[in-house]
């Protein structure tokens, strides 16, 4: 399979999620370390618990699930296993994404942008964070815009989203936080990267790398 | 990190199991979905049910306050991580006797969001739910630019007093109103001499030098707003109590409940040294010490430190505070 | 050493002052000779008076147990140092209502000698005194070649049950007999994960490596009998409870009170993990868990560790255990 | 004043006690360190509290007190301020010593031996320790015997007592303790000097050096 041939169908979605679970497990301590600096030191643990639970449920899916069905399973599993702030926020993101994906068998670039937009809007609706509040929104916002600007190629869109999310995560470093636990720290949050933005970038980077 | 634990990933489960074994006269534990600690005789006919919960690691909060005159159920999440909606919903169902259920939620994004979802789900099942968000921590500025004040040791007073109101038969609206009043008249602030270590993390939540104190900590091992050099206890007490007094503000002839709360690893003798100075400050200001509570009630694992909470009371709140309570961690009158 | 204290030489004085300020409904403090903590309504007409005391640093023992149904007075010595005869005599006089006074003494040379002198002096003033020496610690061999077993957390159970007997009006002889029965049926053993530091000493009482546990500690920060590598909590519990079970011995169908006691710096969640395993062992042996008590009651400053106490009970002891008690640290039924 | 001329009168007794207070204050941490190793780490603190209290009371004595009067004041003050094991034991030692000194204006060598003997017997009567139990008795026992064997010269008797007490304290090092807190340690007490024997030797050494 060469680049550009990828179809974002249910099987791809499943491969993506499996790869996310592996990546989160691998980066668990790093994510937790970011959270220890300006939060309560559990972000990696929380996400890992959630995605491991997702892995255990993937086999309950139909043999040829829609992308939406996979996303919905991820959503409900994260909601009922992650807890904390990230659980409801990521849960809502995947749930709204699933609803945007609808019954489609596969996502083209336009549908992908719809899904990413719905996910970001879900996070904003629940968490009320604005851009530059030093949250995961700072990864999702740029990702949506970059994907939308990337044209018709899904791989290009995924790559654009991942790159923008990564840049967005890095760009949280100089910020004072206005939402989440880091907001308690005032100026002392400056110089630290937001863990949720980092994990969001990781999820999107893995998407870009999933064949 | 040295702890009396087995598997670091099982500390919450095993702690709750031990709690259930020790207090089977007071509570039952529903384990699927894990975990919900429910008052043994819940649902209590005609009574508003009180549910609280949040990340574990703050023991005895909340399970230690389940019983007559206080909570009907506690929902312990993973260590320092708010529980998911499922067990909150389960607890809500277990304690609903038809009079509705009050959710007492500490103001953290995760707690608020997960309780919100659970309340929606409960409503969908026909259970009337109201929520009170506790945010008594004056260390955090309550502004548009923060997640708002944190809920800390004042939560205990909200649970005690609202619990007494529910026990005497008040309606859901009235219990919720009383809980909100308590929250609005309670102010807290804490400090740490040494951080805590979440078992699965294996590393302390922050580093403190041998002569440093972290001022304005929360209860999740998160760093505070300010780090200063170690000072005598009396001076540190002044640093905690001044912002508390100014914030409400508490004034001459006010009557207050003074709660000196240990963070988990602080010996009782030190809490009383802190209490001594706090009571002295109140006396200097002409504020009346109506009731005193000293102990490690709202903790951060083995953190060494203390928080001070003042609650302004009137006759009704004081009566409710004095009303009988029979829980693992707070008990009088029964 | 990081502590919430002011002047290291004043920690006992200030802690007692804070205690008195917080619990003026329960106790009064006589400050000359410093310090005696006396039940607010002492002497109680017709009642045998109960006096205990010892070095400070074990809070809430003993002052936290002064009140209805337990002690009439507590005599706090300097940190980890038994009090001198003068305040013990003063306490004895303050609580004597003509029915005699029981001294509850932990078995340490210093405590025994100073209480002995005080008892002699009280007798010379016409007060009838009996003494019970508590020695529940199985970590120490009770032989001609030691100072005998130490009095540790079992002291709390002696004070509770003898206190209830005095409250119901038993004679001095009978109260003393019951106290001795409780002592003879109680066994304890403890361990430490981290030592404590006496404020004026400024250095920890012993050094422990990051992966070491001290088994068979007393309550004065003294080293134990054995140092081992850190193990899971369940295994450590087995190390404490086996010698306890063998020593009495406790047998199938015995009914017991299980006390899991924190040493001061141990979070409650860990105590419940310990409790869980201890209860499991009892169940395996067919021993009935009649009552449970979990908390930091007999401590060594901020020491991190735990002790387990088992008390074999019959109906009478259980009734006395259940009888109302109203003190700062233990309260039920009132 | 040259050696041999010393009269063990009340003034000498007072000088001795004042010097003991100074020596204990100086050696406080060392005594406490010994006690930390095999006890509860308060012996130096305890004695210092007691002898400082004694200093504060010495002026209440008559202008020309008897040795017995000084010893009695020391006894009652130690009993009411030291606590722990050492308080009653030293208190009894000084009390019995005072009773042995009686109304004498000064102690000759024979009287000194009587006083030391009474002190030791008082400690043994209260604490029930036998020789080699690793207690202060291991300093007092040899001291009494050496003083008795030293003949008619008080200075020689004091020097003999001090030397024997010091040797006795050192000789506690290889012992297992059978009394006091160190007895809880079993074999782990081996290799450590008994703090009470050490402080006893100190008190007697100061006597030998007091002119
Ligand atoms: N109001 C919010 N809106 C968007 N994202 C938020 C908000 N609050 C917190 N977050 C995100 O959640 C992350 C923390 O997640 P996590 O550590 O799992 O939860 P918790 O803070 O409850 O421990 C933060 O790094 C931030 O990106
Ligand atoms: N039964 C005893 N007989 C004689 N001396 C004793 C006895 N018990 C203890 N001691 C002495 O007391 C010393 C300890 O004194 P101290 O530390 O002040 O008291 P505590 O042991 O109560 O803390 C020991 O080193 C020992 O010399
Ligand atoms: Mg977190
Ligand atoms: Mg968290
Ligand atoms: Mg001592
Ligand atoms: Mg000692």
């Amino acid at each position: 399979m060469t680049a550009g041939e990828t179809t974002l169908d249910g099987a791809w979605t499943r491969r993506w999620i499996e790869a996310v679970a592996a990546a989160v497990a691998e980066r668990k301590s790093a994510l937790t370390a970011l959270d220890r600096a300006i939060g309560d030191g559990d972000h990696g643990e929380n996400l890992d618990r959630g995605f491991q639970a997702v892995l255990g449920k993937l086999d309950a899916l139909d043999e040829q699930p829609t992308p939406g069905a996979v996303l919905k399973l991820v959503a409900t599993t994260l909601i009922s296993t992650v807890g904390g702030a990230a659980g409801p926020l990521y849960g809502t993101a995947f749930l709204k994404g699933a609803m945007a994906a609808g019954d489609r068998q596969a996502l083209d670039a336009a549908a992908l942008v719809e899904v990413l937009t719905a996910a970001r809007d879900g996070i904003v609706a629940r968490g009320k964070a604005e851009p530059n509040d030093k949250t995961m929104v700072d990864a999702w916002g740029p990702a949506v815009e970059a994907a939308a600007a990337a044209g018709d190629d899904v791989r290009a869109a995924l790559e654009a989203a991942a790159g923008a999310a990564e840049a967005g995560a890095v760009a949280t470093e100089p910020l004072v936080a206005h939402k989440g636990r880091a907001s308690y720290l005032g100026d002392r949050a400056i110089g630290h990267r937001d863990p949720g933005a980092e994990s969001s970038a990781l999820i999107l980077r893995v998407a870009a790398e999933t064949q | 990190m040295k702890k009396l634990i087995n598997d670091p990933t099982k500390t919450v489960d095993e702690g709750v199991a031990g709690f259930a074994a020790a207090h089977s006269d007071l509570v039952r534990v529903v384990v699927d979905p894990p975990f919900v600690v429910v008052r043994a005789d819940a649902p209590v006919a005609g009574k508003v049910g009180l549910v609280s919960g949040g990340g574990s690691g703050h023991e005895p909060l909340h399970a230690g306050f389940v019983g007559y005159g206080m909570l009907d159920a506690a929902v312990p999440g993973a260590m320092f991580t708010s529980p998911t909606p499922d067990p909150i919903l389960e607890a809500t169902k277990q304690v609903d006797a038809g009079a509705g259920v009050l959710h007492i939620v500490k103001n953290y994004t995760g707690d608020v969001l997960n309780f919100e979802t659970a309340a929606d789900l409960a409503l969908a099942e026909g259970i009337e739910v109201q929520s009170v968000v506790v945010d008594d921590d004056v260390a955090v500025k309550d502004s548009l630019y923060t997640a708002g004040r944190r809920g800390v040791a004042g939560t205990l007073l909200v649970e005690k007093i609202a619990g007494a109101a529910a026990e005497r038969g008040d309606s859901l609206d009235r219990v919720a109103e009383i809980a909100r009043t308590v929250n609005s008249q309670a102010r807290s602030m804490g400090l740490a001499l040494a951080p805590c270590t979440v078992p699965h993390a294996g590393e302390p939540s922050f580093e403190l030098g041998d002569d440093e104190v972290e001022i304005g900590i929360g209860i999740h091992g998160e760093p505070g707003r300010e780090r200063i050099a170690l000072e005598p206890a009396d001076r540190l007490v002044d640093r905690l109590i001044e912002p508390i007094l100014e914030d409400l503000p508490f004034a001459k002839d006010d009557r207050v409940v003074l709660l000196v709360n240990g963070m988990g690893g602080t010996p009782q003798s030190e809490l009383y040294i802190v209490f001594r100075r706090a009571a002295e400050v109140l006396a200097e200001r002409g504020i009346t010490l109506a009731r005193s509570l000293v102990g490690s009630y709202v903790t951060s694992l083995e953190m060494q430190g203390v928080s001070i909470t003042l609650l302004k009371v009137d006759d009704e709140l004081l009566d409710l505070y004095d009303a009988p309570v029979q829980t693992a961690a707070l008990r009088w009158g029964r």
Side-chain angles (χ1 to χ4, degrees), chain A, chain B:
Chain A
M1 203 183 285
T2 60
E5 286 181 292
T6 316
T7 308
L8 303 195
D9 57 8
W12 179 90
T13 312
R14 181 176 172 153
R15 286 198 302 280
W16 168 46
I17 294 303
E18 284 169 345
V20 167
V24 165
E26 196 198 310
R27 306 272 306 149
K28 180 166 84 167
S29 322
L31 291 171
T32 289
L34 291 180
D35 196 31
R36 197 158 46 233
I38 56 171
D40 59 350
D42 60 1
H43 187 59
E45 198 70 29
N46 292 346
L47 281 192
D48 184 46
R49 184 173 57 246
F51 279 100
Q52 289 305 315
V54 169
L55 282 188
K57 292 210 176 162
L58 283 175
D59 285 338
L61 285 170
D62 290 346
E63 229 168 86
Q64 296 199 314
T66 59
V70 179
L71 296 176
K72 179 149 186 235
L73 182 84
V74 173
T76 56
T77 308
L78 293 184
I79 289 173
S80 66
T81 58
V82 175
L89 292 172
Y90 274 124
T92 301
F94 280 95
L95 195 62
K96 299 297 179 184
M99 287 161 72
D103 292 336
R104 289 189 185 88
Q105 288 301 320
L107 307 177
D108 59 14
L112 175 64
V113 171
E114 266 180 59
V115 167
L116 292 175
T117 305
R120 179 205 57 194
D121 290 351
I123 293 169
V124 170
R126 296 261 6 220
K128 315 255 171 358
E130 297 186 8
N132 296 324
D133 277 357
K134 196 170 184 132
T135 71
M136 54 173 73
V137 169
D138 295 331
W140 287 92
V144 168
E145 284 164 35
D152 287 345
D153 180 63
V154 287
R155 290 235 67 95
L158 285 172
E159 179 57 42
E166 284 167 343
V170 171
T172 62
E173 290 181 8
L175 300 175
V176 170
H178 294 157
K179 287 285 181 226
R181 292 178 195 283
S183 72
Y184 307 142
L185 288 175
D187 289 350
R188 292 171 86 188
I190 291 175
H192 298 278
R193 190 176 303 182
D194 177 63
E198 178 76 2
S199 60
S200 298
L202 179 68
I203 289 168
L204 293 172
R205 168 56 59 201
V206 170
E209 285 173 0
T210 301
Q211 299 300 326
Chain B
M1 178 190 66
K2 257 160 123 183
K3 290 177 183 289
L4 289 166
I5 59 173
N6 296 296
D7 179 346
T9 66
K10 296 227 174 85
T11 52
V12 173
D13 302 25
E14 292 185 353
V16 172
F19 183 86
H23 304 294
S24 56
D25 54 329
L26 295 173
V27 302
R28 61 175 191 262
V29 171
V30 179
V31 293
D32 193 19
F35 276 109
V36 185
V37 178
V38 181
R39 181 170 155 176
D41 57 350
V44 180
K47 195 182 88 67
V48 169
L50 264 66
V51 173
S52 192
S56 289
H58 309 303
E59 292 71 24
L61 190 79
H62 299 271
F65 302 126
V66 172
Y68 182 92
M70 217 161 160
L71 296 179
D72 293 271
V75 189
M79 206 53 89
F80 288 165
T81 300
S82 100
T84 62
D86 304 13
I88 304 173
L89 174 63
E90 177 65 26
T92 306
K93 289 196 229 170
Q94 292 262 349
V95 308
D96 177 45
V101 175
L102 182 70
H103 285 180
I104 299 176
V105 186
K106 300 194 293 304
N107 189 35
Y108 299 96
T109 310
D111 293 66
V112 170
L113 293 178
N114 286 287
F115 269 91
E116 232 170 60
T117 304
D120 286 349
L121 294 170
L123 197 66
E125 301 203 19
I127 303 174
E128 204 190 342
V129 174
Q130 286 212 28
S131 300
V132 174
V133 175
V134 182
D135 59 348
D136 54 317
D137 182 5
V138 299
V140 173
K141 288 239 166 49
D142 189 12
S143 80
L144 278 179
Y145 304 109
T146 68
R149 283 179 160 163
R150 297 173 289 212
V152 291
T155 312
L156 156 65
L157 300 173
V158 174
E159 294 178 358
K160 169 65 188 83
I161 291 175
E167 204 69 61
R168 77 176 173 190
D170 283 12
S171 69
L172 178 56
D173 281 348
R174 182 76 185 115
V175 174
E177 188 189 326
I178 288 175
R180 287 191 193 102
T181 303
V182 173
N183 180 55
S184 72
Q185 298 186 181
R187 295 291 187 280
S188 302
M189 186 148 156
L191 63 81
L193 299 187
C196 59
T197 301
V198 175
H200 63 241
E203 276 177 70
S205 50
F206 51 86
E207 303 282 348
L208 264 185
D210 267 0
D211 54 352
E212 286 177 332
V213 183
E214 188 83 18
I215 304 274
I217 52 153
I219 56 171
H220 297 84
E222 63 268 51
R225 278 192 84 86
E226 199 189 353
R227 184 165 296 187
I228 62 163
L230 183 60
E231 295 176 340
D234 286 359
R235 187 68 202 93
L236 292 172
V237 169
D238 292 351
R239 285 186 188 268
L240 297 185
I241 205 167
E242 296 291 344
I244 290 173
L245 290 169
E246 275 162 29
D247 195 274
L248 193 58
F250 294 86
K252 192 163 171 336
D253 295 329
D254 279 349
R255 286 181 297 162
V256 299
V257 176
L258 167 57
L259 164 59
V260 171
N261 175 62
M263 300 307 296
T266 312
Q268 227 187 49
S269 47
E270 295 180 26
L271 300 184
Y272 281 110
I273 289 175
V274 166
F275 184 93
R276 183 191 147 279
R277 175 61 190 159
E280 199 171 72
V281 173
L282 295 183
E284 285 164 14
R285 304 279 186 117
I287 296 168
T288 304
L289 179 61
R291 295 291 181 276
S292 310
L293 193 60
V294 182
S296 293
Y297 292 114
V298 180
T299 64
S300 298
L301 293 169
E302 78 285 5
M303 179 178 279
Q304 240 182 297
V306 70
S307 70
I308 293 177
T309 301
L310 283 184
L311 168 67
K312 181 168 157 177
V313 288
D314 56 17
D315 287 342
E316 186 188 13
L317 292 188
L318 212 48
D319 278 350
L320 291 168
Y321 179 85
D322 287 340
V325 59
Q326 182 175 358
T327 69
L330 210 63
R331 189 162 171 173
W332 55 70
R334 265 171 80 106

